[in-house]
Amino acid sequence: MTRLRLATVRPQEPEIFHSLQGEGVSIGRPSVFVRLSGCNLACHWCDTPYTWFFEGHAGPHRGDRQYDRRANSVTLDIAEVVDRIRGFDCSHIVFTGGEPLLQQPALAALCERLGPDYHVEIESNGTVALTPGFAPCVHQLNLSPKLGHSGNAESARCNDAALAGYARDPRAWFKFVIAEPADAEEVSALADRHAIAPQRIILMPEGTDSATLHARSAWLAPLCLDRGWRFTDRLHIHLYGDTRGT
């Protein structure tokens, strides 16, 4: 039986919830979020460390606290996940993480079970290419390639073949987390290397509280105007704070 490994809002309670999309081109859209557990990267500033920063993890995270794997993840049959999704009167789904594309066979089976009436977004770090079995299920790709300030080695955070493929995919948008104005030069270099169209580039301030987001937005918004890139805020942080299940 096909199963998915999910993050939790509390022990044994999967993080499947109905909220407004907080980032990117779909910002403000009512969506059902399904947060998967596990990631192949280790970003210092990650705002969902409970999906991967488990006890015994060798890498650092700015919060230092490590999480008990059994308390912060749960494995469910896809039939139960389908039932939970269908419990919301919403046909827009966002699979997020962690890194959801690490579980593509189970996601493909889940989407087949759901049927064609759902619009599927994926939030991914862009290091994992879509598989032939899952690619037809996806309507929108919200990719967030990581920059040097994430703390990941370039060999881990940049999969050139995957990024080049996504740059040719009209479903893909490229959202970059920005901490300092100088980060824009790294975005430009990646865009040039992979031929990413400027109208598909979105910059987002890094931060998990409104004060930090407002401060960084003050210089990031004009930077986007100057470069011809899009800007996105983090709506869910302003509405709900840095909390699970929102």
Side-chain angles (χ1 to χ4, degrees):
M1 189 172 292
T2 307
R3 296 166 71 81
L4 274 172
R5 186 157 53 96
L6 300 142
T8 60
V9 289
R10 62 189 67 85
Q12 301 303 305
E13 180 62 27
E15 193 171 357
I16 301 172
F17 60 98
H18 187 219
S19 189
L20 300 175
Q21 172 61 282
E23 304 170 355
V25 293
S26 299
I27 192 168
R29 183 167 184 170
S31 305
V32 177
F33 290 81
V34 181
R35 188 176 302 282
L36 279 68
S37 183
C39 192
N40 58 336
L41 296 182
C43 299
H44 293 337
W45 40 256
C46 177
D47 61 352
T48 57
Y50 58 91
T51 65
W52 60 272
F53 196 47
F54 300 125
E55 292 173 350
H57 194 286
H61 182 268
R62 68 180 176 193
D64 291 330
R65 173 193 171 187
Q66 292 189 324
Y67 295 83
D68 178 75
R69 185 186 299 269
R70 283 187 286 186
N72 290 277
S73 65
V74 63
T75 302
L76 297 180
D77 295 339
I78 62 168
E80 181 172 348
V81 179
V82 166
D83 287 345
R84 288 175 179 264
I85 292 171
R86 286 178 174 162
F88 300 103
D89 184 19
C90 181
S91 61
H92 195 93
I93 305 174
V94 179
F95 292 112
T96 187
E99 175 47 63
L101 293 185
L102 297 177
Q103 301 187 59
Q104 290 187 72
L107 287 175
L110 172 62
C111 289
E112 182 179 0
R113 189 84 169 255
L114 279 170
D117 295 333
Y118 285 85
H119 182 281
V120 174
E121 285 188 25
I122 296 291
E123 296 187 337
S124 168
N125 59 36
T127 63
V128 183
L130 285 175
T131 63
F134 184 49
C137 304
V138 179
H139 299 92
Q140 183 173 314
L141 289 153
N142 304 324
L143 305 173
S144 184
K146 305 311 177 192
L147 305 178
H149 64 72
S150 69
N152 297 285
E154 185 173 5
S155 59
R157 59 185 167 81
C158 290
N159 180 335
D160 287 341
L163 286 174
Y166 285 132
R168 297 189 296 268
D169 192 327
R171 298 171 294 179
W173 299 87
F174 296 81
K175 182 193 72 187
F176 294 91
V177 177
I178 304 297
E180 301 290 344
D183 295 336
E185 301 311 317
E186 197 173 344
V187 173
S188 289
L190 277 170
D192 290 345
R193 185 166 59 184
H194 301 294
I196 301 171
Q199 61 268 26
R200 294 165 66 194
I201 294 174
I202 308 168
L203 301 193
M204 182 182 77
E206 190 277 318
T208 53
D209 61 85
S210 287
T212 300
L213 293 174
H214 285 314
R216 288 180 168 154
S217 296
W219 50 259
L220 186 56
L223 188 156
C224 289
L225 281 171
D226 183 59
R227 303 279 185 132
W229 296 335
R230 295 191 182 211
F231 169 88
T232 184
D233 203 348
R234 307 196 72 205
L235 177 64
H236 54 296
I237 296 295
H238 300 306
L239 292 176
Y240 312 114
D242 183 22
T243 54
R244 301 194 198 191
T246 56

